[in-house]
């Protein structure tokens, strides 16, 4: 078990280092932050002074080593726009993002899993076809298109809900629904596929042949085994709680981390972008690590394999 955890932690650390390195290189090769922040009409002396103040005139490898060393010391840098610490700017936006993504995740779980199980248990029936049609529709429609459609119907035409902002709980309804619908559709498809695969296994037929009640077969045998692949997609959804809000927050002008990332990228605010990407990478890696541990709890074969190793 210790070897298993050690390997997973090493893989997580390597993943975060690669993400940080990739973000560092792409941001510095995509444009001059000094020119963008100072403006096209800024005198060359002011631009040069800005570069010197932020260390942008140094060779790329020197900037990288200094940046990576600062991360190891817990220093994620300061915003080039206002001089505030990047981690402070990001931390101020996290509650707003979680106010959307956590309820949206609950919608995905409460709708997607029961819908997928129901569709699998009624395979090729009208219920199954209806669930799959809705799932395909929810999966294929991009989130920004769905968001704009909801705004057009419920904000513009009917006037029931506001189209954007964060003034009250009513402003959160449309973005939550926008994120929840697509995720519920994906989860329904995965759950249905996992359940159908398990229901076709010999041990399910054996249990039914022995006279085990169908409800006991489903709850005691099918669902625990179907949970293993389903946990994977749930782990991905949990890991993308922050990253998945970028488009929706932009559509609904929601002041969260996703919108901050869009603004920071446009302004080449390097420290803020790198801080958000580091947060996203850490969230994804942590979610994947938890999923790996849950595999061992759900599947005794994996647990025994780890002990044997």
């Amino acid at each position: 078990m210790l070897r298993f955890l050690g390997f997973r932690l090493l893989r997580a650390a390597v993943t975060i280092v690669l993400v940080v390195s990739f973000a560092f290189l792409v941001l510095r090769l995509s444009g001059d932050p000094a020119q963008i922040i100072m403006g096209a009409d800024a005198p060359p002396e002011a631009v040069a002074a800005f570069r010197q103040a932020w260390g942008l005139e140094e060779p790329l490898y020197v900037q990288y080593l200094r940046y990576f060393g600062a991360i190891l010391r817990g220093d994620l840098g300061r915003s080039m726009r206002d001089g505030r610490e990047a981690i402070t700017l990001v931390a101020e936006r996290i509650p707003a993002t979680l106010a959307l993504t956590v309820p949206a995740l609950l919608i995905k779980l409460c709708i997607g899993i029961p819908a997928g199980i129901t569709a699998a248990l009624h395979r090729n029936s009208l219920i199954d076809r209806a669930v799959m049609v809705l799932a395909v529709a929810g999966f294929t429609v991009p989130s920004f298109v769905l968001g704009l459609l909801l705004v057009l119907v419920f904000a513009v035409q009917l006037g029931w809900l506001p189209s954007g902002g964060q003034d009250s709980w009513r402003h959160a309804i449309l973005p939550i629904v926008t994120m929840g619908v697509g995720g519920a559709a994906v989860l329904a498809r995965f759950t249905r596929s996992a359940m159908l695969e398990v229901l076709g296994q010999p041990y399910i037929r054996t249990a039914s042949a022995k006279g085990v009640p169908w409800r006991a077969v489903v709850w005691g045998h099918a669902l625990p085994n179907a949970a293993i692949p389903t946990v994977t997609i749930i782990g991905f959804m949990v890991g993308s709680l922050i990253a998945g809000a970028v488009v929706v927050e932009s559509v609904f002008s929601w002041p969260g981390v996703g919108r901050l990332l869009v603004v920071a990228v446009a302004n080449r605010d390097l420290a803020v972008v790198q801080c958000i990407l580091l947060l996203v990478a850490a969230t994804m890696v942590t979610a994947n690590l938890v999923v790996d541990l849950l595999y061992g709890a759900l599947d005794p074969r994996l647990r025994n394999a780890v002990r044997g190793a």
Side-chain angles (χ1 to χ4, degrees), residues 111-128:
I111 296 178
I113 293 179
I117 294 174
T118 302
L121 295 178
H122 299 83
R123 185 178 184 181
N124 295 328
S125 68
L126 181 61
I127 295 177
D128 183 24

Side-chain angles (χ1 to χ4, degrees), residues 26 35 47 49 54 66 117 119 133 140 153 160 190 229 233 238 264 291 296:
V26 170
Q35 195 67 56
V47 176
W54 291 97
R66 179 178 290 111
I117 294 174
V133 167
T140 54
V153 173
W160 291 352
F190 269 86
I233 189 64
V238 173
V291 167

Side-chain angles (χ1 to χ4, degrees), residues 21-22 26 46 56-57 59 62 90 115 137 152 154 185 196 209 220 232 252 256 293:
S21 302
F22 179 77
V26 170
L56 299 176
E57 83 288 352
V62 175
V90 175
L152 179 63
F154 294 99
L196 289 178
T232 303
F252 292 97
L293 296 177

